[in-house]
Amino acid sequence: QVQLVESGGGLVQPGGSLRLSCAVSGGTFIHYAMSWHRQAPGKERELVAEVGRRNIDTTYANSAKGRFAISRDNAKSAAYLQINSPSTEDTAVYFCSARGIVPYNYGNTYWGKGTLVTVSS
C-alpha cells in the first residue's frame, strides 16, 4: 500500500515563502506521477501542480504559474511544492497525491492526509 505523508505547512506572511514536502513509501516511486492539490474553506479541492517521472515534466494551475514550483527527488521518494509570494487566497489544506503511470498501476491514486497552510500577517 502506497503511503504519503505531507509536512512543512504552517503560518506564512503574505509575500513570504514556504516549502511543502511529501514523503512516499510502499511503492516504486518512479512509477507514479506526483501532484499537489489544495482545498480552501468552503471550496472544492483543486489541482495546483503535477510532475511526471522527471522534473522537466510539470504542469501548473493558472493560479500557481510563476509563484509555485513542484519538484521530485526520485532518490529520496519525495515530492516538494515551493510556494513563493503567497497571498491570503492561498490559505488551504494542501494534499499530496500519487497517480500510477505504468500498466500495472495505471490510474491508481493515493492521497496524503494534508498539511494546512495559513497565509496571514
Side-chain angles (χ1 to χ4, degrees):
Q1 181 75 8
V2 178
Q3 295 183 324
L4 296 82
V5 179
E6 302 96 335
S7 61
L11 177 65
V12 59
Q13 292 186 343
S17 64
L18 198 66
R19 189 195 197 203
L20 306 182
S21 299
C22 175
V24 181
S25 61
T28 302
F29 188 64
I30 60 170
H31 291 174
Y32 294 87
M34 299 300 300
S35 58
W36 287 91
H37 304 246
R38 68 183 182 184
Q39 187 166 17
K43 295 187 177 181
E44 294 185 354
R45 189 174 300 188
E46 62 175 358
L47 173 68
V48 175
E50 184 176 74
V51 59
R53 289 187 178 182
R54 303 172 300 172
N55 282 319
I56 61 173
D57 300 325
T58 58
T59 57
Y60 292 91
N62 286 336
S63 59
K65 289 180 181 178
R67 298 188 303 121
F68 291 12
I70 189 171
S71 63
R72 65 188 291 160
D73 187 332
N74 291 334
K76 295 182 178 180
S77 294
Y80 307 96
L81 184 69
Q82 179 71 36
I83 301 174
N84 298 319
S85 300
S87 68
T88 56
E89 294 183 352
D90 295 315
T91 294
V93 178
Y94 284 73
F95 298 89
C96 179
S97 177
R99 178 175 57 84
I101 54 174
V102 294
Y104 79 89
N105 69 357
Y106 192 81
N108 292 348
T109 302
Y110 302 90
W111 294 88
K113 294 182 178 180
T115 185
L116 176 63
V117 173
T118 302
V119 184
S120 176
S121 56

